[in-house]
Amino acid sequence: MTTHVLALGTPWSGVPALLFPAFGQSAEMVGIVMAIVILLGGPLGVLIFNTSPRGLAPHAQVNAVVSWIANLGRSLPFLVLMATIIPFTQLVVGTTIGIKAAIIPMSLAGIPFFARLMENAIREVPPEMLDVGVASGASRWQIIRSIQLTEALPGIVAGLTLNIIAMIEYSAIAGAIGAGGLGYLAINDGYEQFDGTIMIACIALLILIVQVIQFTGDRAVRSLLH
Amino acid sequence: MIEITALTKRYGSHTVLDNIDFTVEPGSIAAIVGPSGAGKSTLFRCVNLLERPTSGTIRVDGQELTNLSRRELRVARRAIGTVFQSANLLRRLTAAQNVALPLEFLRLSDEEIHRRVRELLERVDMLHRANHYPGQLSGGQRQRIGIARGLATRPSVLLADEATSGLDPETTGSILRLLAGLRDDLGVTIVVITHEMDVVRSVADVVAQIDHGRIVEYGRVGDVVRRSDSALSTALLPDQPAPRPSADEVVWRLRYADATVDPNWLSRISRELGTDIALLSGLVETVGGDRAGRLTVGISAQLPAGKVTRAFAACGIRAHMTETADELAGVAS
Ligand SMILES: Nc1ncnc2c1ncn2[C@@H]1O[C@H](COP(=O)(O)OP(=O)(O)OP(=O)(O)O)[C@@H](O)[C@H]1O
Ligand SMILES: [Mg+2]
């Protein structure tokens, strides 16, 4: 085991040139992954809730299956998941390194995570609210859209905030497989090459990003609650 | 028009509704009363099939609901307005948006929805709160919005579960006037579930009491209050606490047995018996269009009981002497 000693390396004036592209790569990764997560995890969450006994179309078998899928994706630590699915990643995107390769395991971890957050948010909507829709002759789709999603929106936004922050964390871990981004920069330039300046700059930026996202998310949730 | 026939609802082995038969005539208000846990809300939820009956049939406007397909049922439900206990307003929608919701489900045009929401809010006198969120409204205001939403699809039948519970008498009064107006102006058939006897007396045409999932008493409200041996009648027009009469008087309990008792009876009977009548307590009202009354009076012990009873009977009042002071004390306590 080698002991790394951090020392100041890159001069501060050179930091932006390294930091900005890395930030851009992180943002790209998290952005693409979040789009996939919302597109697939959202409906999965709606399905899990509505096939449960309290849902609009209770169905024990379907619920068991979708629930199992959602649990499966969340049962492995991200690093283990990433390693396990390397053949699958290779199959889907044709490479096992870089941003493209990171998107697959990040999505696989993010989709079930968001599905559960979504399910919880909808579960918080009082069941009497669904009765309002049923009693006024709404279709199931209308109830999902106009009642479940509308009433659960603050919870969904809180879930999204949590999810984005988790994906930033995963993107940093994915940096270890050369995915690029802030995590990669911190590990590769900062840690491996004893570059304290880069390390500090990366950490400071990550802290700032997470704080800004949490703050913005909280503000959004508050403005959605009436 | 609602016709419920042999309705039974079981949860597992627990029978919540037991063979209920119940008809509400078009354009009338029916009140359902009963102790907590009697099955009132379950009945309410069965009428629009929010809850599937275990057996029995429910007809609304001649249409049998239990046989309908999911699609047909959705259409049928639009003819049944529902007002939920504590209004159930969506918290993230304004008052106007809540009222608009059933109309959006119908896919009406925006102008049509806007026009009808305005009209509905006007009817419940809430136009000035259109853009408030439920969290910014009082309980009575939320209830009015709930009623407006229940009426949005112009239903011929309106179901209201505890629509006035926990509201002050003035607000309750305004909601009851609203319900009576719907019956009288639009001919809406209304079922109100309540535990407030004032509500029954002031707006209901018929009343049914449910206990342990069965209808134990039923009738026109005006008739029920005249029944002499009925728990529901006593609940509707309770004996009022009365002070003890003077030593040479006996206490008589009176009940209007006739729908057309002459309001002058007190002075008439007093003159006829040639004695003073001490009015100890009483409640006289118009219930379901009929005169109803329940009073306690003190009359000189010298008078023969038979004469007193006959004098009251001639005025359409059933009178009976209360034997002991204990009985009266029991009422007063
Ligand atoms: N989903 C359910 N599963 C099992 N039992 C139920 C269910 N819903 C209601 N019950 C039972 O049915 C009975 C009647 O309930 P219901 O809500 O109809 O009473 P209620 O007359 O409306 O009472 P309250 O005046 O307190 O509102 C109660 O004993 C209740 O526990
Ligand atoms: Mg109830």
Side-chain angles (χ1 to χ4, degrees), chain B residues 11 14 16 35-42 162:
Chain B
Y11 291 110
H14 180 35
V16 176
S36 192
K40 305 183 296 293
S41 294
T42 308
E162 312 261 8

Coordinates of all heavy atoms in Angstrom, one line a residue, chain B residues 11 14 16 35-42 162, ligand 1:
Chain B
Y11 N -67.2 -7.3 4.9 CA -65.7 -7.3 4.9 C -65.3 -8.6 5.6 O -65.4 -8.6 6.8 CB -65.1 -6.1 5.6 CG -65.3 -4.8 4.9 CD1 -66.2 -3.8 5.4 CD2 -64.7 -4.5 3.6 CE1 -66.4 -2.6 4.7 CE2 -64.9 -3.3 3.0 CZ -65.8 -2.4 3.5 OH -66.0 -1.2 2.9
H14 N -67.3 -9.9 8.6 CA -68.0 -8.8 9.2 C -69.0 -8.2 8.3 O -68.7 -7.6 7.3 CB -66.9 -7.8 9.6 CG -67.4 -6.6 10.3 ND1 -68.5 -6.6 11.2 CD2 -67.0 -5.3 10.3 CE1 -68.7 -5.4 11.6 NE2 -67.8 -4.6 11.1
V16 N -71.2 -5.4 7.3 CA -71.3 -4.0 7.6 C -72.7 -3.5 7.2 O -73.3 -2.6 7.9 CB -70.2 -3.2 6.9 CG1 -70.4 -1.7 7.1 CG2 -68.9 -3.7 7.4
P35 N -75.6 5.7 14.7 CA -74.4 5.9 15.5 C -73.1 5.6 14.7 O -73.2 5.0 13.6 CB -74.6 4.8 16.6 CG -75.5 3.8 16.1 CD -76.4 4.6 15.2
S36 N -72.0 6.0 15.3 CA -70.7 5.8 14.6 C -70.5 4.3 14.4 O -70.8 3.5 15.3 CB -69.6 6.4 15.5 OG -68.4 6.4 14.8
G37 N -70.0 4.0 13.2 CA -69.8 2.6 12.9 C -71.0 1.8 12.4 O -70.9 0.6 12.2
A38 N -72.1 2.5 12.3 CA -73.4 1.8 11.9 C -73.3 1.4 10.4 O -74.0 0.4 10.1 CB -74.5 2.8 12.1
G39 N -72.5 2.0 9.6 CA -72.4 1.6 8.2 C -72.9 2.7 7.3 O -73.1 2.5 6.1
K40 N -73.0 3.9 7.8 CA -73.5 5.0 6.9 C -72.6 5.3 5.8 O -73.0 5.4 4.6 CB -73.7 6.3 7.8 CG -74.6 6.1 9.0 CD -74.8 7.4 9.7 CE -73.5 8.0 10.3 NZ -72.9 7.2 11.4
S41 N -71.3 5.5 6.1 CA -70.3 5.9 5.0 C -70.2 4.7 4.0 O -70.0 4.9 2.9 CB -69.0 6.2 5.6 OG -69.0 7.3 6.4
T42 N -70.3 3.5 4.5 CA -70.2 2.3 3.6 C -71.4 2.4 2.7 O -71.2 2.1 1.5 CB -70.2 1.0 4.5 OG1 -69.2 1.1 5.5 CG2 -69.9 -0.2 3.6
E162 N -71.7 13.7 5.8 CA -71.3 14.6 6.9 C -70.8 16.0 6.3 O -69.8 16.5 6.7 CB -70.1 14.0 7.7 CG -70.4 12.6 8.1 CD -70.9 12.5 9.5 OE1 -71.2 13.5 10.1 OE2 -71.0 11.3 10.0
Ligands
LIG1 N1 -62.5 -1.3 4.3 C1 -63.0 -1.8 5.4 N2 -62.6 -3.0 5.8 C2 -63.2 -3.6 6.9 N3 -64.1 -3.0 7.7 C3 -64.6 -1.8 7.3 C4 -64.1 -1.1 6.1 N4 -64.7 0.0 6.0 C5 -65.6 0.1 7.0 N5 -65.5 -1.0 7.8 C6 -66.3 -1.3 9.0 O1 -67.6 -1.1 8.7 C7 -68.3 -0.5 9.8 C8 -69.1 0.7 9.4 O2 -68.2 1.7 8.9 P1 -68.7 3.1 8.4 O3 -67.6 3.9 8.0 O4 -69.7 2.8 7.3 O5 -69.5 3.7 9.6 P2 -70.3 5.1 9.8 O6 -71.7 4.7 10.1 O7 -70.0 5.9 8.6 O8 -69.6 5.7 11.1 P3 -69.2 7.2 11.4 O9 -70.4 7.8 11.9 O10 -68.2 7.0 12.5 O11 -68.6 7.8 10.2 C9 -67.3 -0.2 10.9 O12 -67.4 -1.2 11.9 C10 -66.0 -0.3 10.1 O13 -65.0 -0.8 11.0

